[in-house]
Amino acid sequence: MAEVIWGSAESVFVRDTANPRRTGELLAEHLPWDRTIPADLSVRYPIGDTIAGHFVTDRNGTHFTERHGQLSPWHQWVRIYQRGATFRATVSRVTAKGDVFIDLQHGGTSRIVPSQVTGELVKGTQLEVTIRSILPNQRCINVTRSGWSAPAPAPTPTRASSVDLALLAGCPQEGERMWATVTSPRPEKAFILLALDGYPQLPGNSLAILYHTAMSTPLKEALLGDQVRVGDRLFVEVLLARPDLKRSGKVQVHVREIPEGPVDTALPGSEGNVEDDSPHSGEN
């Protein structure tokens, strides 16, 4: 067991509760395979918290890991959790804000946003969820509660009432977070067009749009200074997804930037390999 003694967005430092002279650093890469990578580690691990894990010493010094010697399950989950498939899940935690965290049937965790919660959900509740997307680089499995559908827009006197709401089946849900790739920066109009990870082709070849009002100040300045390039990566949250009221067959997806998103790295680990902090790496 270790106690958190200091933290930042990128890492936290811990002290062995049985040996106060031994300390180590916990990085995002040392989190359990089934935990998403948070934007700020110090929020998930506040000072004074205790964590179960292992101190490991290697050529880079001593670090602390919660998944010592474990194989990455993500190569299996990518095959199992196909988009559109339905699985059983168990509620593991409900936050004060209404977020519901669940453990999936074949391993892994996910989150149901408050807008999809109907009735009372408590720890241990069984439910069914549908896979929306799986993002192994961020250790994120996006789901929606089975049987839930986005509210239909209010009827209007325009041709929008004839838009096929089935288009939404190919869209992310409000509250989903993911990485996105810049496809077209538009400084003259103060917005950026993006391709979303997990949704490579939105209906009608639509693209997500990030308006300047939903950007951080540094990103706004970079856009106006013509410093945003095609291929740049941004971490975003979906604010709106609906059929386009003016263009038949297309959708509108609006997002906001999350400046301190998770680390965008290659898939950690690979099939048949154990991570670097394996038993022979010098565990103390």
Side-chain angles (χ1 to χ4, degrees):
M1 297 294 294
E3 179 185 4
V4 177
I5 57 176
W6 181 84
S8 69
E10 294 78 23
S11 65
V12 295
F13 284 85
V14 299
R15 177 187 291 119
D16 190 342
T17 56
N19 179 10
R21 298 182 63 182
R22 179 163 64 174
T23 61
E25 185 180 23
L26 173 68
L27 300 169
E29 64 194 66
H30 301 140
L31 302 186
W33 289 117
D34 62 350
R35 299 288 298 277
T36 56
I37 299 174
D40 189 333
L41 279 172
S42 66
V43 173
R44 179 175 292 180
Y45 300 100
I47 294 174
D49 264 17
T50 55
I51 313 170
H54 298 265
F55 285 91
V56 177
T57 301
D58 56 24
R59 62 183 179 276
N60 296 317
T62 299
H63 60 270
F64 187 79
T65 174
E66 292 187 85
R67 57 176 177 79
H68 178 67
Q70 297 177 4
L71 294 171
S72 169
W74 280 97
H75 60 281
Q76 298 176 347
W77 290 344
V78 167
R79 291 197 297 265
I80 294 171
Y81 295 129
Q82 295 293 312
R83 183 176 175 181
T86 299
F87 295 93
R88 291 194 308 275
T90 304
V91 174
S92 58
R93 183 165 62 97
V94 180
T95 70
K97 295 181 179 180
D99 287 318
V100 176
F101 290 87
I102 57 171
D103 294 331
L104 293 166
Q105 175 180 349
H106 298 287
T109 63
S110 189
R111 176 180 70 114
I112 299 175
V113 296
S115 62
Q116 298 178 19
V117 176
T118 56
E120 184 178 3
L121 292 179
V122 297
K123 185 175 181 179
T125 300
Q126 302 283 314
L127 68 161
E128 287 192 342
V129 296
T130 300
I131 305 299
R132 301 292 303 180
S133 63
I134 180 167
L135 308 172
N137 287 353
Q138 289 79 56
R139 302 185 202 164
C140 179
I141 304 172
N142 289 313
V143 303
T144 186
R145 192 172 182 183
S146 298
W148 180 90
S149 59
T156 67
T158 70
R159 66 187 180 114
S161 59
S162 64
V163 175
D164 184 5
L165 295 181
L167 289 172
L168 291 177
C171 294
Q173 296 290 341
E174 176 185 336
E176 280 192 49
R177 294 182 174 189
M178 64 200 74
W179 283 97
T181 302
V182 174
T183 61
S184 179
R186 303 285 182 87
E188 72 284 359
K189 295 184 177 180
F191 66 76
I192 299 172
L193 296 178
L194 302 163
L196 303 177
D197 283 12
Y199 299 89
Q201 189 169 12
L202 292 170
N205 293 320
S206 305
L207 293 167
I209 187 166
L210 173 62
Y211 287 106
H212 75 283
T213 54
M215 299 178 192
S216 65
T217 299
L219 182 59
K220 289 180 186 177
E221 294 175 350
L223 179 64
L224 294 176
D226 201 24
Q227 298 300 308
V228 177
R229 298 286 185 262
V230 173
D232 286 352
R233 302 277 285 166
L234 300 173
F235 195 65
V236 299
E237 179 178 25
V238 177
L239 298 176
L240 175 148
R242 68 184 181 191
D244 195 308
L245 303 181
K246 297 181 179 179
R247 300 177 298 170
S248 177
K250 292 184 176 291
V251 294
Q252 291 179 321
V253 178
H254 297 177
V255 299
R256 73 177 181 94
E257 181 199 10
I258 303 177
E260 296 184 357
V263 179
D264 185 19
T265 60
L267 174 61
S270 59
E271 185 171 0
N273 291 326
V274 178
E275 61 174 343
D276 289 340
D277 54 347
S278 54
H280 60 70
S281 62
E283 178 187 0
N284 289 329

